[in-house]
């Protein structure tokens, strides 16, 4: 019998547990859910497991406060860390989450040296850089949740505005996962037609603005936490593309090595995700204005990376 695939999720909070549920329901891997709070990952894992007979999945899922059970994971998703409160930017989480992500990365790679790491903890671009620094993994195996989520938000808004199916919308959002995200209306299409040809410029601007503030809008409404349904859906898509070798092209936060004229930084660009992680960084034809916006986003991330004083 072939060995089951295994996914470890660090952090059994909102994003981590939603991810565990979505993945369990996909029935593609066994799951280890880890948290520092005693009982929390165990309780959530047991609860998800008991939904199996009803939903009809057989994935095994265990909750734990240690790392023994994570050994030999194919993919590790890092969601541990603080979420935003109203009025905070993702960057405000840097120092708190840097400590947590650094620690857990070290523990994770000790047990799963061949895994691919997906980072969800914010500020995600800087956290991807940190996880790579600590793990010493090649860039192909450290990827951040970013553009898929931002693009999904834009797709949702465009579909609602035009009263079309979300599946008809193909959206592109690159850059920083924050206020310097680079929304590309020119490349965002509905059944192949750019939204710039379907909607007035003011409407496009309004939808772009709502996309950039998409996470903050939810933080403002929830008051006690940040988004987790759409983030966990986006993470699940990344995990699936890797485990099932789908080779989907998805916008993710990755270390650039000269693509788009950028180096030593992490931003969201389209990448092909397959069994070995990032199999290709896709270089879109951008206008000089769009390239400049990407370079500006990269610079902002570099500044944040500098604050961490890694060496
Ligand atoms: N090891 C394991 N788990 C940890 C650690 C640690 N060192 N430190 C904190 N945690 C756990 C917390 O106990 C908590 O259960 O991480 C979990 C975080 O869950 P939530 O507070 O619900 O936050 P969540 O909404 O899941 O967001 C987590 O993802 O999208 C990002 O911005 C978001 O950075 C935030 C992260």
């Amino acid at each position: 019998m072939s060995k089951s695939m295994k996914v470890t999720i660090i952090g059994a909070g909102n994003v981590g547990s939603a991810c565990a549920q979505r993945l369990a329901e996909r029935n593609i891997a066994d799951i280890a859910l880890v948290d520092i709070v005693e009982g929390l990952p165990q309780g959530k894992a047991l609860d998800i497991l008991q939904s199996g007979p009803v939903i009809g999945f057989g994935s095994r899922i265990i909750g734990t406060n240690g790392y023994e059970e994570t050994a030999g994971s194919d993919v590790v998703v890092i969601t541990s860390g603080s979420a935003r409160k109203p009025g905070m930017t993702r960057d405000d989480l840097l120092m708190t989450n840097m400590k947590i992500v650094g620690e857990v990365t070290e523990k994770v790679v000790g047990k799963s040296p061949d895994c691919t790491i997906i980072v969800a903890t914010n500020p995600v671009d800087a956290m991807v850089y940190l996880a790579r620094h600590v793990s010493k993994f090649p860039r192909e195996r450290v990827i951040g949740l970013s553009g898929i989520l931002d693009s999904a938000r834009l797709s949702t808004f465009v579909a609602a505005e035009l009263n079309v199916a979300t599946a008809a919308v193909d959206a592109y959002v690159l850059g920083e996962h924050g206020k310097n995200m680079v929304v590309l209306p020119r490349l965002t299409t509905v059944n192949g037609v750019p939204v710039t040809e379907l909607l007035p410029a003011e409407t496009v601007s309004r939808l772009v603005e709502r996309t950039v503030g998409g996470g903050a809008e939810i933080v403002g409404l929830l008051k006690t936490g940040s988004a987790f349904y759409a983030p966990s859906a986006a993470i699940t898509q990344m995990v699936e593309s890797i485990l099932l070798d789908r080779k989907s092209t998805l916008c993710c936060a990755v270390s650039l090595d000269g693509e788009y004229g950028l180096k030593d930084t992490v931003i969201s660009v389209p990448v092909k995700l397959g069994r070995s992680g990032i199999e290709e960084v896709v270089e879109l034809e951008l206008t000089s204005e769009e390239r400049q916006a990407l370079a500006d986003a990269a610079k902002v991330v570099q500044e944040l990376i500098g604050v961490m004083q890694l060496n």
Side-chain angles (χ1 to χ4, degrees):
M1 216 173 70
S2 67
K3 187 178 147 287
S4 302
M5 290 190 283
K6 184 167 172 181
V7 177
T8 284
I9 300 168
I10 313 290
N14 280 339
V15 177
S17 55
C19 240
Q21 181 191 354
R22 290 191 191 281
L23 274 169
E25 291 180 359
R26 294 292 204 284
N27 217 4
I28 53 171
D30 290 336
I31 299 161
L33 183 61
V34 182
D35 202 286
I36 37 166
V37 177
E38 271 179 46
L40 182 73
Q42 292 87 346
K44 290 199 172 174
L46 194 57
D47 195 7
I48 294 170
L49 193 64
Q50 290 167 359
S51 65
V54 184
I55 304 285
F57 65 79
S59 313
R60 283 170 295 189
I61 163 161
I62 51 157
T64 173
N65 302 115
Y67 284 77
E68 279 312 313
E69 293 88 342
T70 70
S73 293
D74 297 283
V75 173
V76 174
V77 181
I78 299 179
T79 77
S80 48
S82 293
R84 282 194 279 174
K85 310 227 164 23
M88 285 174 91
T89 68
R90 292 182 181 94
D91 296 357
D92 293 335
L93 302 169
L94 183 74
M95 296 323 264
T96 317
N97 286 350
M98 167 187 173
K99 193 167 169 285
I100 296 171
V101 170
E103 263 172 37
V104 307
T105 302
E106 204 169 317
K107 290 180 180 154
V108 152
V109 301
K111 296 290 176 195
S112 303
D114 300 319
C115 72
T116 295
I117 298 175
I118 296 176
V119 184
T121 307
N122 278 309
V124 72
D125 306 286
M127 293 301 111
V128 167
Y129 191 95
L130 172 67
R132 244 201 102 193
H133 176 85
V134 173
S135 65
K136 302 189 173 57
F137 278 9
R139 68 157 175 169
E140 287 73 18
R141 293 199 283 124
V142 187
I143 311 160
L145 159 69
S146 171
I148 305 179
L149 173 59
D150 300 322
S151 305
R153 287 181 173 145
L154 178 58
S155 293
T156 307
F157 302 145
V158 168
E161 190 71 32
L162 288 167
N163 195 23
V164 297
T166 47
V169 189
D170 203 8
Y172 277 92
V173 182
L174 316 186
E176 188 216 4
H177 187 50
K179 63 181 187 315
N180 293 285
M181 71 180 64
V182 179
V183 183
L184 298 175
R186 189 180 62 85
L187 300 180
T188 297
T189 57
V190 178
N191 295 318
V193 182
V195 287
T196 44
E197 289 173 26
L198 297 169
L199 290 167
E202 310 79 71
T203 311
V204 172
S205 298
R206 174 167 54 78
L207 302 187
V208 167
E209 221 167 281
R210 193 169 177 203
T211 302
V212 176
E217 182 178 359
I218 291 176
V219 172
L221 291 165
L222 294 180
K223 296 183 184 67
T224 54
S226 53
F228 56 99
Y229 291 112
S232 60
I235 294 166
T236 304
Q237 190 180 33
M238 294 167 76
V239 174
E240 262 190 347
S241 193
I242 294 168
L243 290 184
L244 304 181
D245 198 27
R246 285 240 169 90
K247 302 187 191 298
S248 310
T249 299
L250 303 166
C251 294
C252 302
V254 300
S255 309
L256 292 182
D257 192 20
E259 298 86 359
Y260 295 95
L262 302 167
K263 249 178 183 297
D264 298 321
T265 189
V266 174
I267 52 167
S268 168
V269 295
V271 291
K272 193 165 87 184
L273 286 189
R275 199 64 189 88
S276 47
I278 298 168
E279 301 194 345
E280 187 189 336
V281 174
V282 178
E283 285 205 66
L284 300 170
E285 287 282 333
L286 298 181
T287 64
S288 55
E289 220 171 65
E290 290 162 349
R291 275 182 91 87
Q292 187 55 50
L294 216 53
D296 292 346
K299 194 153 171 272
V300 169
V301 174
Q302 255 159 351
E303 280 162 16
L304 213 54
I305 292 168
V307 175
M308 292 194 289
Q309 296 190 310
L310 308 171
N311 46 52

